[in-house]
Amino acid sequence: MKAVSVKEAGSIEVIEKEKPEIREKNEVLVQIKMVGICGSDMHIYHGTNPLATYPRVIGHEVTGEVVEIGEQVNTLKPGDKVVLEPIDTCGTCYACRNGRSNVCQNLEVYGVHRDGGMQQYIVVPSANLHKVEPDVPYQASVLVEPFTIGAQANWRGQVQEGDSVLIQGAGPIGICCLKMAKLLGAKCYITDLSEERLAFAKQSGADEVIHAGNKDVEQEIMSLTSGEGANVVIDAVCIPHTFELGVRVASNAGRIVVLGFTEQTSAIPQLPLTKQELTVVGSRLQTNQFPNVIKRLNQKELNVDGMVTHTFPVEDIQEALEYIERYPDEVRKAVMTF
Ligand SMILES: NC(=O)c1ccc[n+]([C@@H]2O[C@H](COP(=O)([O-])OP(=O)(O)OC[C@H]3O[C@@H](n4cnc5c(N)ncnc54)[C@H](O)[C@@H]3O)[C@@H](O)[C@H]2O)c1
Ligand SMILES: [Zn+2]
Ligand SMILES: [Zn+2]
């Protein structure tokens, strides 16, 4: 069978690999149908993801069909449409014991620390698979994983109905945060530097879009919130500047959610944190968000039209990566088909 392997930084190829087999009673064999390409796949390819080891079959935004189930599996059957929850956790560390297994001390992410979904078949424990309704197209189920990131950011920010939420960045993650915040009944403002991305954000439900290059975001937010500030700021740009800005525009009792992996420092003074009792939190991957997102997708509450803009067959992985980098304004989400 075919698999997309990053042999080492800068070198990606489609390899022939033996089809995997079920070995444990709780395992499931899945035929992969579609895999999203994410910024972190690009980082693994370029050698800028410090967690990745090589060679690596990439891909963590994965959807497919169950082919075969182990003896003990009673939650799935052949023919079921599924998405992969791409994390493996130890279950015993402090984070796991406290319901936060997404930050397990011994966390392994499929497609990063171990082989992921860009291959024709994969065998995984049934607990890592979530069933979706058969009428949900693969172009939608392939987006479940990034939407769980958005759901987690909203949970970490304790977004509630009526809250004003500023989302910085209208890339795929910003859009996923936006759509989940709208489902929670928030009023949403979103920034970006690209007119195309802002236009799509508006189409995706943003109450106001702000061009961060042409407008003073701080002033705009203060005026839109009548001087109160945003109750929640989600940073889906993830640079020192946006983190600092987030703290400046948060309301009293506000929450600032960061999603970035940069090691660059931001200059955050103590005064606003104390005076306004701000809560600054990180958000990584997700805990228990797959059922939440899938339910909304099954029930057609979550509309993902227009998000997948480009589809490439597995053989064209190299072209896909080059295309994404050359036309960032055109590509919202590119997916590989198998
Ligand atoms: N914590 C997690 O679990 C997690 C998961 C996935 C992605 N991420 C991170 O989330 C971030 C966003 O991911 P993405 O795939 O949407 O990336 P992306 O690069 O596609 O989107 C970022 C957007 O920010 C815009 N931008 C740049 N500078 C800006 C500024 N000053 N103000 C406003 N907008 C600006 C860009 O135009 C772009 O549209 C990345 O840093 C990624 O590493 C975190
Ligand atoms: Zn991703
Ligand atoms: Zn653990």
Side-chain angles (χ1 to χ4, degrees):
M1 67 166 193
K2 291 191 171 73
V4 173
S5 171
V6 179
K7 209 166 76 187
E8 59 195 13
S11 157
I12 196 161
E13 57 189 17
V14 179
I15 57 167
E16 273 300 323
K17 222 184 121 177
E18 219 167 292
K19 184 175 162 186
E21 283 173 12
I22 291 180
R23 294 219 164 76
E24 307 287 336
K25 291 177 179 163
N26 67 334
E27 287 180 337
V28 177
L29 174 67
V30 178
Q31 183 179 19
I32 307 291
K33 297 289 187 181
M34 212 176 259
V35 181
I37 303 177
C38 165
S40 59
D41 298 313
M42 306 297 278
H43 282 299
I44 297 172
Y45 171 51
H46 288 304
T48 45
N49 181 327
L51 302 175
T53 49
Y54 301 93
R56 180 64 55 234
V57 173
I58 54 172
H60 57 275
E61 303 179 359
V62 185
T63 184
E65 185 183 311
V66 172
V67 178
E68 199 184 321
I69 58 172
E71 274 170 51
Q72 269 174 9
V73 177
N74 50 23
T75 49
L76 294 165
K77 58 177 188 322
D80 281 347
K81 191 176 273 193
V82 288
V83 296
L84 174 70
E85 177 165 355
I87 58 176
D88 185 56
T89 62
C90 77
T92 56
C93 73
Y94 178 80
C96 282
R97 294 198 313 275
N98 284 278
R100 305 273 297 279
S101 56
N102 55 322
V103 286
C104 168
Q105 214 176 328
N106 305 301
L107 183 75
E108 285 200 5
V109 180
Y110 286 80
V112 182
H113 309 86
R114 59 166 69 183
D115 282 349
M118 280 203 200
Q119 45 186 330
Q120 286 178 293
Y121 293 90
I122 194 169
V123 168
V124 295
S126 60
N128 285 83
L129 295 170
H130 298 270
K131 191 175 154 176
V132 294
E133 289 296 321
D135 67 337
V136 173
Y138 286 120
Q139 291 230 347
S141 57
V142 75
L143 295 169
V144 167
E145 196 277 342
F147 270 104
T148 65
I149 306 294
Q152 181 81 3
N154 277 274
W155 176 66
R156 295 288 287 149
Q158 294 292 295
V159 172
Q160 293 164 54
E161 190 170 357
D163 281 355
S164 58
V165 178
L166 167 64
I167 296 146
Q168 301 195 72
I173 295 299
I175 296 291
C176 288
C177 292
L178 166 68
K179 290 204 181 222
M180 296 314 291
K182 287 309 294 177
L183 287 176
L184 293 168
K187 183 142 203 181
C188 295
Y189 314 118
I190 190 162
T191 63
D192 206 282
L193 299 173
S194 148
E195 297 286 3
E196 282 83 359
R197 289 194 167 196
L198 288 174
F200 185 62
K202 185 85 196 167
Q203 201 183 314
S204 303
D207 294 274
E208 296 288 342
V209 300
I210 305 166
H211 193 295
N214 303 341
K215 289 265 170 70
D216 181 330
V217 176
E218 200 173 335
Q219 258 178 27
E220 293 290 314
I221 291 298
M222 286 308 166
S223 125
L224 286 164
T225 58
S226 312
E228 184 178 75
N231 306 135
V232 182
V233 182
I234 299 176
D235 187 352
V237 178
C238 310
I239 56 176
H241 168 74
T242 47
F243 184 16
E244 290 161 6
L245 191 146
V247 171
R248 287 201 304 275
V249 301
S251 72
N252 287 16
R255 286 85 69 198
I256 295 109
V257 184
V258 296
L259 288 138
F261 294 96
T262 180
E263 290 184 287
Q264 285 178 277
T265 53
S266 304
I268 309 286
Q270 291 183 34
L271 179 67
L273 300 191
T274 308
K275 191 175 147 208
Q276 296 172 243
E277 267 204 351
L278 299 179
T279 305
V280 178
V281 295
S283 183
R284 181 178 182 198
L285 303 165
Q286 55 75 43
T287 25
N288 305 321
Q289 299 293 350
F290 273 82
N292 167 24
V293 170
I294 289 170
K295 188 169 142 228
R296 291 180 182 279
L297 205 56
N298 284 341
Q299 294 177 348
K300 314 281 180 277
E301 285 172 26
L302 183 60
N303 176 356
V304 300
D305 291 351
M307 287 193 71
V308 173
T309 49
H310 294 78
T311 302
F312 297 89
V314 53
E315 296 78 14
D316 293 352
I317 182 69
Q318 183 85 48
E319 286 89 326
L321 298 183
E322 282 166 15
Y323 199 93
I324 293 170
E325 295 196 321
R326 197 160 337 131
Y327 305 105
D329 271 353
E330 244 181 67
V331 182
R332 288 175 197 145
K333 173 63 76 179
V335 298
M336 305 304 298
T337 53
F338 289 80

